[in-house]
PDB file of all heavy atoms in Angstrom:
ATOM      1  N   TYR A  36     -95.952 -22.000-130.163  1.00  0.00           N
ATOM      2  CA  TYR A  36     -95.887 -21.600-131.542  1.00  0.00           C
ATOM      3  C   TYR A  36     -96.033 -22.835-132.473  1.00  0.00           C
ATOM      4  O   TYR A  36     -96.418 -22.587-133.608  1.00  0.00           O
ATOM      5  CB  TYR A  36     -94.546 -20.973-131.809  1.00  0.00           C
ATOM      6  CG  TYR A  36     -94.350 -19.626-131.135  1.00  0.00           C
ATOM      7  CD1 TYR A  36     -93.148 -19.283-130.464  1.00  0.00           C
ATOM      8  CD2 TYR A  36     -95.358 -18.708-131.106  1.00  0.00           C
ATOM      9  CE1 TYR A  36     -93.061 -18.034-129.852  1.00  0.00           C
ATOM     10  CE2 TYR A  36     -95.252 -17.428-130.570  1.00  0.00           C
ATOM     11  CZ  TYR A  36     -94.064 -17.157-129.897  1.00  0.00           C
ATOM     12  OH  TYR A  36     -93.882 -15.890-129.254  1.00  0.00           O
ATOM     13  N   ASN A  37     -95.887 -24.014-131.955  1.00  0.00           N
ATOM     14  CA  ASN A  37     -96.032 -25.207-132.827  1.00  0.00           C
ATOM     15  C   ASN A  37     -97.336 -25.847-132.671  1.00  0.00           C
ATOM     16  O   ASN A  37     -97.586 -26.986-133.238  1.00  0.00           O
ATOM     17  CB  ASN A  37     -94.901 -26.175-132.487  1.00  0.00           C
ATOM     18  CG  ASN A  37     -93.573 -25.725-132.940  1.00  0.00           C
ATOM     19  OD1 ASN A  37     -93.360 -25.151-134.070  1.00  0.00           O
ATOM     20  ND2 ASN A  37     -92.548 -25.878-132.099  1.00  0.00           N
ATOM     21  N   LEU A  38     -98.304 -25.243-131.975  1.00  0.00           N
ATOM     22  CA  LEU A  38     -99.595 -25.892-131.774  1.00  0.00           C
ATOM     23  C   LEU A  38    -100.464 -25.674-133.010  1.00  0.00           C
ATOM     24  O   LEU A  38    -100.280 -24.703-133.754  1.00  0.00           O
ATOM     25  CB  LEU A  38    -100.331 -25.216-130.620  1.00  0.00           C
ATOM     26  CG  LEU A  38     -99.807 -25.452-129.223  1.00  0.00           C
ATOM     27  CD1 LEU A  38    -100.488 -24.590-128.131  1.00  0.00           C
ATOM     28  CD2 LEU A  38    -100.027 -26.920-128.858  1.00  0.00           C
ATOM     29  N   PRO A  39    -101.346 -26.589-133.306  1.00  0.00           N
ATOM     30  CA  PRO A  39    -102.190 -26.450-134.456  1.00  0.00           C
ATOM     31  C   PRO A  39    -103.327 -25.426-134.108  1.00  0.00           C
ATOM     32  O   PRO A  39    -103.377 -24.855-133.049  1.00  0.00           O
ATOM     33  CB  PRO A  39    -102.839 -27.812-134.629  1.00  0.00           C
ATOM     34  CG  PRO A  39    -102.776 -28.433-133.245  1.00  0.00           C
ATOM     35  CD  PRO A  39    -101.571 -27.863-132.625  1.00  0.00           C
ATOM     36  N   ALA A  40    -104.187 -25.170-135.097  1.00  0.00           N
ATOM     37  CA  ALA A  40    -105.276 -24.225-134.877  1.00  0.00           C
ATOM     38  C   ALA A  40    -106.264 -24.759-133.894  1.00  0.00           C
ATOM     39  O   ALA A  40    -106.292 -25.991-133.664  1.00  0.00           O
ATOM     40  CB  ALA A  40    -105.978 -23.976-136.231  1.00  0.00           C
ATOM     41  N   THR A  41    -107.038 -23.876-133.277  1.00  0.00           N
ATOM     42  CA  THR A  41    -108.083 -24.340-132.315  1.00  0.00           C
ATOM     43  C   THR A  41    -109.075 -25.250-133.085  1.00  0.00           C
ATOM     44  O   THR A  41    -109.299 -25.101-134.274  1.00  0.00           O
ATOM     45  CB  THR A  41    -108.834 -23.160-131.657  1.00  0.00           C
ATOM     46  OG1 THR A  41    -109.337 -22.323-132.647  1.00  0.00           O
ATOM     47  CG2 THR A  41    -107.947 -22.346-130.763  1.00  0.00           C
ATOM     48  N   GLY A  42    -109.597 -26.239-132.365  1.00  0.00           N
ATOM     49  CA  GLY A  42    -110.413 -27.272-132.936  1.00  0.00           C
ATOM     50  C   GLY A  42    -109.688 -28.491-133.481  1.00  0.00           C
ATOM     51  O   GLY A  42    -110.290 -29.519-133.847  1.00  0.00           O
ATOM     52  N   GLU A  43    -108.395 -28.412-133.547  1.00  0.00           N
ATOM     53  CA  GLU A  43    -107.556 -29.478-134.111  1.00  0.00           C
ATOM     54  C   GLU A  43    -107.103 -30.434-132.956  1.00  0.00           C
ATOM     55  O   GLU A  43    -107.123 -30.028-131.763  1.00  0.00           O
ATOM     56  CB  GLU A  43    -106.288 -28.972-134.754  1.00  0.00           C
ATOM     57  CG  GLU A  43    -106.565 -28.109-135.975  1.00  0.00           C
ATOM     58  CD  GLU A  43    -106.964 -28.895-137.225  1.00  0.00           C
ATOM     59  OE1 GLU A  43    -106.455 -29.981-137.421  1.00  0.00           O
ATOM     60  OE2 GLU A  43    -107.890 -28.412-137.844  1.00  0.00           O
ATOM     61  N   LYS A  44    -106.761 -31.646-133.282  1.00  0.00           N
ATOM     62  CA  LYS A  44    -106.221 -32.608-132.257  1.00  0.00           C
ATOM     63  C   LYS A  44    -104.706 -32.261-131.905  1.00  0.00           C
ATOM     64  O   LYS A  44    -104.004 -31.758-132.830  1.00  0.00           O
ATOM     65  CB  LYS A  44    -106.208 -34.012-132.821  1.00  0.00           C
ATOM     66  CG  LYS A  44    -107.605 -34.603-132.942  1.00  0.00           C
ATOM     67  CD  LYS A  44    -107.954 -35.255-131.616  1.00  0.00           C
ATOM     68  CE  LYS A  44    -109.258 -36.020-131.787  1.00  0.00           C
ATOM     69  NZ  LYS A  44    -109.798 -36.288-130.460  1.00  0.00           N
ATOM     70  N   VAL A  45    -104.411 -32.482-130.648  1.00  0.00           N
ATOM     71  CA  VAL A  45    -103.040 -32.187-130.182  1.00  0.00           C
ATOM     72  C   VAL A  45    -102.697 -33.175-129.075  1.00  0.00           C
ATOM     73  O   VAL A  45    -103.580 -33.601-128.337  1.00  0.00           O
ATOM     74  CB  VAL A  45    -102.855 -30.680-129.772  1.00  0.00           C
ATOM     75  CG1 VAL A  45    -103.616 -30.462-128.458  1.00  0.00           C
ATOM     76  CG2 VAL A  45    -101.417 -30.376-129.533  1.00  0.00           C
ATOM     77  N   ALA A  46    -101.398 -33.538-129.035  1.00  0.00           N
ATOM     78  CA  ALA A  46    -100.895 -34.457-127.966  1.00  0.00           C
ATOM     79  C   ALA A  46     -99.761 -33.644-127.293  1.00  0.00           C
ATOM     80  O   ALA A  46     -98.844 -33.179-127.986  1.00  0.00           O
ATOM     81  CB  ALA A  46    -100.396 -35.735-128.562  1.00  0.00           C
ATOM     82  N   LEU A  47     -99.733 -33.593-125.980  1.00  0.00           N
ATOM     83  CA  LEU A  47     -98.777 -32.973-125.189  1.00  0.00           C
ATOM     84  C   LEU A  47     -98.214 -33.894-124.121  1.00  0.00           C
ATOM     85  O   LEU A  47     -98.974 -34.559-123.411  1.00  0.00           O
ATOM     86  CB  LEU A  47     -99.214 -31.740-124.596  1.00  0.00           C
ATOM     87  CG  LEU A  47     -99.610 -30.512-125.492  1.00  0.00           C
ATOM     88  CD1 LEU A  47    -100.323 -29.446-124.658  1.00  0.00           C
ATOM     89  CD2 LEU A  47     -98.449 -29.997-126.196  1.00  0.00           C
ATOM     90  N   LEU A  48     -96.901 -33.887-123.910  1.00  0.00           N
ATOM     91  CA  LEU A  48     -96.356 -34.564-122.748  1.00  0.00           C
ATOM     92  C   LEU A  48     -96.522 -33.563-121.601  1.00  0.00           C
ATOM     93  O   LEU A  48     -96.407 -32.341-121.799  1.00  0.00           O
ATOM     94  CB  LEU A  48     -94.918 -34.896-122.980  1.00  0.00           C
ATOM     95  CG  LEU A  48     -94.577 -35.822-124.143  1.00  0.00           C
ATOM     96  CD1 LEU A  48     -93.097 -35.876-124.407  1.00  0.00           C
ATOM     97  CD2 LEU A  48     -95.128 -37.197-123.788  1.00  0.00           C
ATOM     98  N   THR A  49     -96.760 -34.081-120.405  1.00  0.00           N
ATOM     99  CA  THR A  49     -97.070 -33.139-119.295  1.00  0.00           C
ATOM    100  C   THR A  49     -96.223 -33.411-118.071  1.00  0.00           C
ATOM    101  O   THR A  49     -95.681 -34.511-117.910  1.00  0.00           O
ATOM    102  CB  THR A  49     -98.620 -33.192-118.919  1.00  0.00           C
ATOM    103  OG1 THR A  49     -98.922 -34.576-118.425  1.00  0.00           O
ATOM    104  CG2 THR A  49     -99.515 -32.809-120.074  1.00  0.00           C
ATOM    105  N   HIS A  50     -96.241 -32.360-117.252  1.00  0.00           N
ATOM    106  CA  HIS A  50     -95.644 -32.504-115.871  1.00  0.00           C
ATOM    107  C   HIS A  50     -96.663 -31.865-114.929  1.00  0.00           C
ATOM    108  O   HIS A  50     -97.042 -30.698-115.140  1.00  0.00           O
ATOM    109  CB  HIS A  50     -94.292 -31.720-115.852  1.00  0.00           C
ATOM    110  CG  HIS A  50     -93.676 -31.867-114.442  1.00  0.00           C
ATOM    111  ND1 HIS A  50     -92.824 -32.881-114.115  1.00  0.00           N
ATOM    112  CD2 HIS A  50     -93.677 -31.011-113.405  1.00  0.00           C
ATOM    113  CE1 HIS A  50     -92.455 -32.796-112.895  1.00  0.00           C
ATOM    114  NE2 HIS A  50     -92.909 -31.610-112.465  1.00  0.00           N
ATOM    115  N   PHE A  51     -97.039 -32.613-113.945  1.00  0.00           N
ATOM    116  CA  PHE A  51     -98.131 -32.195-112.996  1.00  0.00           C
ATOM    117  C   PHE A  51     -97.432 -31.720-111.703  1.00  0.00           C
ATOM    118  O   PHE A  51     -96.703 -32.476-111.073  1.00  0.00           O
ATOM    119  CB  PHE A  51     -99.005 -33.399-112.701  1.00  0.00           C
ATOM    120  CG  PHE A  51    -100.234 -33.029-111.931  1.00  0.00           C
ATOM    121  CD1 PHE A  51    -101.073 -32.041-112.317  1.00  0.00           C
ATOM    122  CD2 PHE A  51    -100.583 -33.836-110.838  1.00  0.00           C
ATOM    123  CE1 PHE A  51    -102.227 -31.754-111.565  1.00  0.00           C
ATOM    124  CE2 PHE A  51    -101.766 -33.581-110.117  1.00  0.00           C
ATOM    125  CZ  PHE A  51    -102.578 -32.524-110.467  1.00  0.00           C
ATOM    126  N   VAL A  52     -97.728 -30.460-111.317  1.00  0.00           N
ATOM    127  CA  VAL A  52     -97.191 -29.874-110.159  1.00  0.00           C
ATOM    128  C   VAL A  52     -98.271 -29.635-109.144  1.00  0.00           C
ATOM    129  O   VAL A  52     -99.301 -28.999-109.418  1.00  0.00           O
ATOM    130  CB  VAL A  52     -96.458 -28.505-110.427  1.00  0.00           C
ATOM    131  CG1 VAL A  52     -96.013 -27.863-109.128  1.00  0.00           C
ATOM    132  CG2 VAL A  52     -95.340 -28.750-111.366  1.00  0.00           C
ATOM    133  N   VAL A  53     -98.156 -30.233-107.937  1.00  0.00           N
ATOM    134  CA  VAL A  53     -99.111 -30.081-106.867  1.00  0.00           C
ATOM    135  C   VAL A  53     -98.448 -29.159-105.767  1.00  0.00           C
ATOM    136  O   VAL A  53     -97.432 -29.521-105.182  1.00  0.00           O
ATOM    137  CB  VAL A  53     -99.560 -31.403-106.269  1.00  0.00           C
ATOM    138  CG1 VAL A  53    -100.528 -31.266-105.124  1.00  0.00           C
ATOM    139  CG2 VAL A  53    -100.184 -32.245-107.382  1.00  0.00           C
ATOM    140  N   ARG A  54     -99.224 -28.071-105.482  1.00  0.00           N
ATOM    141  CA  ARG A  54     -98.660 -27.161-104.429  1.00  0.00           C
ATOM    142  C   ARG A  54     -99.813 -27.057-103.400  1.00  0.00           C
ATOM    143  O   ARG A  54    -100.902 -27.496-103.664  1.00  0.00           O
ATOM    144  CB  ARG A  54     -98.378 -25.801-104.947  1.00  0.00           C
ATOM    145  CG  ARG A  54     -97.110 -25.744-105.919  1.00  0.00           C
ATOM    146  CD  ARG A  54     -96.731 -24.340-106.216  1.00  0.00           C
ATOM    147  NE  ARG A  54     -97.817 -23.363-106.233  1.00  0.00           N
ATOM    148  CZ  ARG A  54     -97.985 -22.419-107.191  1.00  0.00           C
ATOM    149  NH1 ARG A  54     -97.211 -22.347-108.138  1.00  0.00           N
ATOM    150  NH2 ARG A  54     -98.990 -21.602-107.094  1.00  0.00           N
ATOM    151  N   GLU A  55     -99.502 -26.360-102.338  1.00  0.00           N
ATOM    152  CA  GLU A  55    -100.547 -26.200-101.268  1.00  0.00           C
ATOM    153  C   GLU A  55    -101.708 -25.420-101.809  1.00  0.00           C
ATOM    154  O   GLU A  55    -102.839 -25.743-101.438  1.00  0.00           O
ATOM    155  CB  GLU A  55     -99.852 -25.509-100.089  1.00  0.00           C
ATOM    156  CG  GLU A  55    -100.795 -25.369 -98.908  1.00  0.00           C
ATOM    157  CD  GLU A  55     -99.989 -24.695 -97.750  1.00  0.00           C
ATOM    158  OE1 GLU A  55     -98.933 -25.237 -97.335  1.00  0.00           O
ATOM    159  OE2 GLU A  55    -100.491 -23.744 -97.196  1.00  0.00           O
ATOM    160  N   ASP A  56    -101.464 -24.418-102.650  1.00  0.00           N
ATOM    161  CA  ASP A  56    -102.515 -23.579-103.181  1.00  0.00           C
ATOM    162  C   ASP A  56    -102.937 -23.759-104.582  1.00  0.00           C
ATOM    163  O   ASP A  56    -103.868 -23.122-105.127  1.00  0.00           O
ATOM    164  CB  ASP A  56    -102.055 -22.112-103.041  1.00  0.00           C
ATOM    165  CG  ASP A  56    -100.807 -21.829-103.798  1.00  0.00           C
ATOM    166  OD1 ASP A  56    -100.062 -22.739-104.144  1.00  0.00           O
ATOM    167  OD2 ASP A  56    -100.520 -20.607-104.046  1.00  0.00           O
ATOM    168  N   ALA A  57    -102.337 -24.755-105.307  1.00  0.00           N
ATOM    169  CA  ALA A  57    -102.693 -25.012-106.663  1.00  0.00           C
ATOM    170  C   ALA A  57    -102.199 -26.359-107.245  1.00  0.00           C
ATOM    171  O   ALA A  57    -101.294 -26.990-106.641  1.00  0.00           O
ATOM    172  CB  ALA A  57    -102.078 -23.911-107.558  1.00  0.00           C
ATOM    173  N   GLN A  58    -102.862 -26.781-108.249  1.00  0.00           N
ATOM    174  CA  GLN A  58    -102.447 -27.960-109.030  1.00  0.00           C
ATOM    175  C   GLN A  58    -102.403 -27.547-110.408  1.00  0.00           C
ATOM    176  O   GLN A  58    -103.375 -27.115-110.991  1.00  0.00           O
ATOM    177  CB  GLN A  58    -103.461 -29.157-108.821  1.00  0.00           C
ATOM    178  CG  GLN A  58    -103.584 -29.592-107.438  1.00  0.00           C
ATOM    179  CD  GLN A  58    -104.606 -30.744-107.275  1.00  0.00           C
ATOM    180  OE1 GLN A  58    -104.945 -31.402-108.239  1.00  0.00           O
ATOM    181  NE2 GLN A  58    -104.982 -31.049-106.032  1.00  0.00           N
ATOM    182  N   ILE A  59    -101.175 -27.607-110.988  1.00  0.00           N
ATOM    183  CA  ILE A  59    -100.892 -27.018-112.336  1.00  0.00           C
ATOM    184  C   ILE A  59    -100.324 -28.042-113.267  1.00  0.00           C
ATOM    185  O   ILE A  59     -99.421 -28.781-112.908  1.00  0.00           O
ATOM    186  CB  ILE A  59     -99.984 -25.791-112.197  1.00  0.00           C
ATOM    187  CG1 ILE A  59    -100.464 -24.790-111.164  1.00  0.00           C
ATOM    188  CG2 ILE A  59     -99.763 -25.130-113.539  1.00  0.00           C
ATOM    189  CD1 ILE A  59     -99.483 -23.682-110.750  1.00  0.00           C
ATOM    190  N   LEU A  60    -100.870 -28.082-114.388  1.00  0.00           N
ATOM    191  CA  LEU A  60    -100.278 -28.916-115.528  1.00  0.00           C
ATOM    192  C   LEU A  60     -99.440 -28.154-116.477  1.00  0.00           C
ATOM    193  O   LEU A  60     -99.834 -27.028-116.895  1.00  0.00           O
ATOM    194  CB  LEU A  60    -101.413 -29.595-116.315  1.00  0.00           C
ATOM    195  CG  LEU A  60    -101.941 -30.945-115.866  1.00  0.00           C
ATOM    196  CD1 LEU A  60    -103.215 -31.269-116.761  1.00  0.00           C
ATOM    197  CD2 LEU A  60    -100.883 -31.958-116.104  1.00  0.00           C
ATOM    198  N   TYR A  61     -98.277 -28.630-116.740  1.00  0.00           N
ATOM    199  CA  TYR A  61     -97.389 -27.963-117.737  1.00  0.00           C
ATOM    200  C   TYR A  61     -97.244 -28.904-118.925  1.00  0.00           C
ATOM    201  O   TYR A  61     -96.979 -30.098-118.681  1.00  0.00           O
ATOM    202  CB  TYR A  61     -95.955 -27.620-117.099  1.00  0.00           C
ATOM    203  CG  TYR A  61     -96.066 -26.707-115.986  1.00  0.00           C
ATOM    204  CD1 TYR A  61     -96.194 -26.999-114.662  1.00  0.00           C
ATOM    205  CD2 TYR A  61     -95.998 -25.243-116.289  1.00  0.00           C
ATOM    206  CE1 TYR A  61     -96.284 -26.087-113.674  1.00  0.00           C
ATOM    207  CE2 TYR A  61     -96.106 -24.339-115.260  1.00  0.00           C
ATOM    208  CZ  TYR A  61     -96.284 -24.770-113.951  1.00  0.00           C
ATOM    209  OH  TYR A  61     -96.383 -23.826-112.948  1.00  0.00           O
ATOM    210  N   GLY A  62     -97.341 -28.401-120.062  1.00  0.00           N
ATOM    211  CA  GLY A  62     -97.339 -29.247-121.303  1.00  0.00           C
ATOM    212  C   GLY A  62     -96.160 -28.967-122.197  1.00  0.00           C
ATOM    213  O   GLY A  62     -95.738 -27.770-122.254  1.00  0.00           O
ATOM    214  N   PHE A  63     -95.716 -29.964-122.893  1.00  0.00           N
ATOM    215  CA  PHE A  63     -94.483 -29.840-123.753  1.00  0.00           C
ATOM    216  C   PHE A  63     -94.705 -30.630-125.058  1.00  0.00           C
ATOM    217  O   PHE A  63     -95.264 -31.763-125.000  1.00  0.00           O
ATOM    218  CB  PHE A  63     -93.255 -30.357-123.008  1.00  0.00           C
ATOM    219  CG  PHE A  63     -93.167 -29.659-121.678  1.00  0.00           C
ATOM    220  CD1 PHE A  63     -93.626 -30.335-120.493  1.00  0.00           C
ATOM    221  CD2 PHE A  63     -92.530 -28.433-121.546  1.00  0.00           C
ATOM    222  CE1 PHE A  63     -93.496 -29.771-119.269  1.00  0.00           C
ATOM    223  CE2 PHE A  63     -92.410 -27.872-120.309  1.00  0.00           C
ATOM    224  CZ  PHE A  63     -92.879 -28.451-119.169  1.00  0.00           C
ATOM    225  N   GLY A  64     -94.283 -30.031-126.166  1.00  0.00           N
ATOM    226  CA  GLY A  64     -94.345 -30.697-127.453  1.00  0.00           C
ATOM    227  C   GLY A  64     -93.356 -31.832-127.662  1.00  0.00           C
ATOM    228  O   GLY A  64     -93.581 -32.757-128.417  1.00  0.00           O
ATOM    229  N   THR A  65     -92.211 -31.810-126.928  1.00  0.00           N
ATOM    230  CA  THR A  65     -91.168 -32.821-127.100  1.00  0.00           C
ATOM    231  C   THR A  65     -90.738 -33.295-125.714  1.00  0.00           C
ATOM    232  O   THR A  65     -90.819 -32.695-124.751  1.00  0.00           O
ATOM    233  CB  THR A  65     -89.952 -32.255-127.822  1.00  0.00           C
ATOM    234  OG1 THR A  65     -89.332 -31.251-127.008  1.00  0.00           O
ATOM    235  CG2 THR A  65     -90.283 -31.704-129.143  1.00  0.00           C
TER     236      THR A  65
END
Side-chain angles (χ1 to χ4, degrees):
Y36 293 136
N37 291 318
L38 289 172
T41 54
E43 299 285 320
K44 287 274 189 197
V45 68
L47 294 174
L48 297 171
T49 60
H50 181 84
F51 188 50
V52 175
V53 178
R54 295 190 327 224
E55 188 175 303
D56 60 340
Q58 295 182 17
I59 305 167
L60 265 174
Y61 294 94
F63 307 95
T65 66

